[in-house]
Amino acid sequence: MREVELIEKLRRFEATEDARERNALAIELSDTHDPRVFEPLVKLIERPDLVNSRGTLIYSLASYDCSSVADLLRNLVATGNFEVRSEAQIILDRQALD
């Protein structure tokens, strides 16, 4: 992905209110493994208004080193819905953060 395209997709990712677009962009951007994607993913996961729409966002975190957000992931395992708990636990297990 070209630099300009990445920056534009990151901008759209952070701004969109459309869950389908946000999820598609989350997966596409995480596939780049670009470190600039990590922080926006975390911020969106932490948004209270997205509490019921964050499974794909958490899934997308698996492309990154999540040691800095291990506490967040543990909290999601304890409090999230089934998909959120499952995705967070997978990351914790695969990255040996438990």
Side-chain angles (χ1 to χ4, degrees):
M1 183 178 305
R2 294 185 349 245
E3 180 74 12
V4 173
E5 184 181 8
L6 177 76
I7 291 169
E8 175 57 24
K9 287 185 181 200
L10 266 172
R11 187 197 62 73
R12 283 188 14 234
F13 176 59
E14 293 177 280
T16 189
E17 293 299 321
D18 182 283
R20 286 184 187 155
E21 180 182 26
R22 184 174 44 251
N23 289 342
L25 286 166
I27 292 168
E28 185 177 353
L29 288 166
S30 71
D31 285 346
T32 69
H33 302 279
D34 190 293
R36 293 173 287 184
V37 176
F38 182 78
E39 190 65 33
L41 271 172
V42 173
K43 286 182 180 179
L44 287 170
I45 289 166
E46 292 176 327
R47 274 183 38 187
D49 60 314
L50 298 181
V51 71
N52 293 318
S53 303
R54 53 189 184 181
T56 301
L57 300 175
I58 297 164
Y59 168 82
S60 298
L61 274 181
S63 295
Y64 299 94
D65 174 2
C66 292
S67 57
S68 66
V69 293
D71 288 340
L72 171 64
L73 292 169
R74 287 186 201 98
N75 184 52
L76 293 171
V77 168
T79 63
N81 64 27
F82 178 78
E83 181 183 15
V84 166
R85 288 191 323 262
S86 297
E87 293 299 337
Q89 189 63 58
I90 288 168
I91 294 170
L92 288 169
D93 291 345
R94 286 189 181 154
Q95 296 188 20
L97 300 173
D98 245 355

